[in-house]
Amino acid sequence: MKRNILITGGAGFIGSHVVRLFVNKYPDYNIVNLDKLTYAGNLENLKDIESAPNYAFVKADIADLDEMRRVVVEHKIDGIIHLAAESHVDRSIKDPFTFARTNVMGTLSLLQAAREYWESLPEKYDGKLFYHISTDEVYGALELTAPEGIESPFTTVASSEHHHAYGEDFFLETTKYDPHSPYSASKASSDHFVRAYHDTYGMPTVVTNCSNNYGPYQFPEKLIPLFINNIRHHKPLPVYGKGENVRDWLYVEDHARAIDLIFHKGKIAETYNIGGFNEWKNIDIIKVIIKTVDRLLGNPEGYSDELITYVTDRAGHDLRYAIDSRKLQRELGWEPSLQFEEGIERTVKWYLENQEWMDRITSGAYEQYYESMYAKR
């Protein structure tokens, strides 16, 4: 079946992995990658597929309703996978309005453009889908109770002592929303708009809430690539508070596989949680990164431990997130393919082998290149 799929935020970290998967796996689909190319969008992430016959790139702002209308109609879009978002919590604390504009108004513009176009067609919503990617942060925070010996119920991928749960509670699809940062508040609002468009207009929608992703092509303001790069340059590793905050980590390609599965097999109006069954305290993950980078760089063991620098904790810093994704496992058969140790090894190797990519990001050279390229058009 031929389809025209719009993937927003496709030049970003997770989006580029989803675009690559769809372009390579579905040659009969036309994949339109729409990205504003803000600081976190980088077309170098997609060099390997940029000339594919079923791939097109559109530079646009999702908050521009008229432009969204034009793109949806011009490309005859029948499916939208919406990943475009401002996503860095620290930035949201400094500039909440940008997050509201992109994450709330941008999602609303996309919904409205899709609704107007799809309702104008003879078949209307038949065969259409608006798939909205959200975050586990909308659920708020979980308690960090974790007496030693509590084991995670997620035994399918447990491979080390680090995979036990740090508490007995997990985020379910039915967990009440309780966002604590401007970022998570903006994502919660966008989730509500997506569900409202289903309930009010009958638009076919699905929402997924995912845990922390890691892997190649992640913008280096995020913990794992930032620390890999800082260790390489022997720069400080800033750790919030005591590093006790717990996060559930998922390899990005496993997330892309889940998105593919849910887009094709998920039930309309459902919510699916996507998690790595894989909780780690920040300080423990940092020690694994240090050990792995030092080994791969040929440094003596413990060489970079001195770089750990404890800094004042972030405002509203949630203590623990943990996703229960057994619904997705039970209903659609998905589970993570990589254990964390294997995923982090693969990730560290990629960043060390792609130092030119990292250097172009940290220097800002990639932004200057695209600014000049689009200024000429």
Side-chain angles (χ1 to χ4, degrees):
M1 177 183 172
K2 196 157 187 66
R3 299 198 67 172
N4 300 314
I5 311 298
L6 178 67
I7 300 176
T8 69
F13 167 45
I14 300 170
S16 62
H17 286 275
V18 176
V19 167
R20 178 179 296 103
L21 175 64
F22 273 69
V23 167
N24 289 331
K25 185 174 178 180
Y26 302 106
D28 288 344
Y29 287 13
N30 292 314
I31 304 302
V32 179
N33 170 14
L34 187 144
D35 201 292
K36 189 180 176 183
L37 294 183
T38 59
Y39 75 94
N42 184 0
L43 289 175
E44 291 184 16
N45 297 355
L46 292 165
K47 280 278 188 194
D48 53 321
I49 57 101
E50 65 183 3
S51 57
N54 64 331
Y55 171 75
F57 174 72
V58 175
K59 183 177 187 290
D61 180 355
I62 57 170
D64 184 339
L65 176 56
D66 288 339
E67 184 67 1
M68 293 307 98
R69 286 170 169 149
R70 184 192 68 76
V71 169
V72 168
V73 172
E74 182 179 313
H75 293 275
K76 298 182 170 59
I77 297 300
D78 55 57
I80 295 173
I81 300 175
H82 176 35
L83 289 126
E86 295 283 350
S87 68
H88 194 54
V89 175
D90 288 348
R91 287 180 186 259
S92 81
I93 293 168
K94 291 178 181 140
D95 181 15
F97 284 86
T98 295
F99 281 69
R101 182 183 181 277
T102 299
N103 297 354
V104 184
M105 297 308 295
T107 301
L108 186 55
S109 295
L110 268 173
L111 285 163
Q112 184 65 14
R115 180 174 83 88
E116 289 173 2
Y117 173 56
W118 291 344
E119 287 187 351
S120 75
L121 300 173
E123 71 275 18
K124 299 202 179 294
Y125 288 128
D126 189 33
K128 311 296 187 293
L129 181 66
F130 190 105
Y131 179 173
H132 177 64
I133 282 84
S134 189
T135 172
D136 57 359
E137 297 192 37
V138 297
Y139 296 125
L142 295 167
E143 286 192 22
L144 183 59
T145 53
E148 287 303 316
I150 285 188
E151 293 296 318
S152 167
F154 309 124
T155 55
T156 51
V157 293
S159 67
S160 80
E161 70 277 10
H162 291 288
H163 292 282
H164 68 72
Y166 287 93
E168 299 182 63
D169 295 328
F170 297 85
F171 294 139
L172 301 169
E173 287 81 0
T174 53
T175 298
K176 180 172 166 260
Y177 274 29
D178 186 24
H180 293 157
S181 72
Y183 162 59
S184 55
S186 68
K187 289 299 288 186
S189 177
S190 66
D191 295 3
H192 290 319
F193 269 108
V194 172
R195 295 188 177 105
Y197 263 63
H198 172 267
D199 293 349
T200 305
Y201 306 110
M203 179 183 281
T205 63
V206 67
V207 176
T208 54
N209 299 82
C210 191
S211 60
N212 282 30
N213 281 219
Y214 71 99
Y217 299 109
Q218 187 169 27
F219 192 79
E221 68 185 355
K222 301 288 189 172
L223 188 148
I224 290 177
L226 174 69
F227 279 33
I228 293 169
N229 199 42
N230 282 11
I231 295 166
R232 178 164 75 96
H233 292 291
H234 211 68
K235 289 164 66 174
L237 306 176
V239 181
Y240 282 126
K242 296 178 181 176
E244 294 288 303
N245 302 73
V246 171
R247 298 293 181 262
D248 174 23
W249 291 90
L250 176 67
Y251 191 65
V252 64
E253 290 181 10
D254 281 334
H255 188 190
R257 283 194 308 106
I259 290 171
D260 174 25
L261 184 64
I262 293 163
F263 181 81
H264 289 96
K265 302 280 181 66
K267 292 179 187 170
I268 300 301
E270 286 290 331
T271 299
Y272 297 94
N273 281 346
I274 308 172
F277 306 106
N278 185 32
E279 291 182 64
W280 286 72
K281 284 187 178 179
N282 284 349
I283 191 63
D284 292 336
I285 207 172
I286 289 160
K287 288 175 180 174
V288 171
I289 294 166
I290 291 172
K291 192 173 180 181
T292 307
V293 175
D294 276 346
R295 174 169 51 77
L296 291 172
L297 288 178
N299 295 332
E301 188 167 342
Y303 175 74
S304 299
D305 289 348
E306 65 181 25
L307 300 177
I308 294 176
T309 308
Y310 293 97
V311 299
T312 305
D313 206 355
R314 164 198 287 161
H317 196 181
D318 293 333
L319 195 54
R320 173 175 171 254
Y321 303 145
I323 283 272
D324 183 337
S325 51
R326 284 178 292 180
K327 174 181 174 180
L328 179 57
Q329 192 176 44
R330 184 175 63 249
E331 294 186 8
L332 299 182
W334 176 91
E335 62 181 35
S337 68
L338 283 186
Q339 294 169 1
F340 185 73
E341 293 83 353
E342 183 185 351
I344 206 71
E345 179 90 6
R346 191 182 293 188
T347 300
V348 170
K349 279 182 178 173
W350 187 89
Y351 284 105
L352 294 180
E353 290 168 2
N354 290 272
Q355 292 180 11
E356 187 180 340
W357 179 91
M358 177 69 83
D359 292 342
R360 283 175 62 76
I361 296 278
T362 52
S363 72
Y366 77 105
E367 283 189 289
Q368 294 155 17
Y369 170 74
Y370 289 117
E371 280 172 12
S372 65
M373 185 172 80
Y374 281 95
K376 291 172 188 169
R377 293 189 175 185

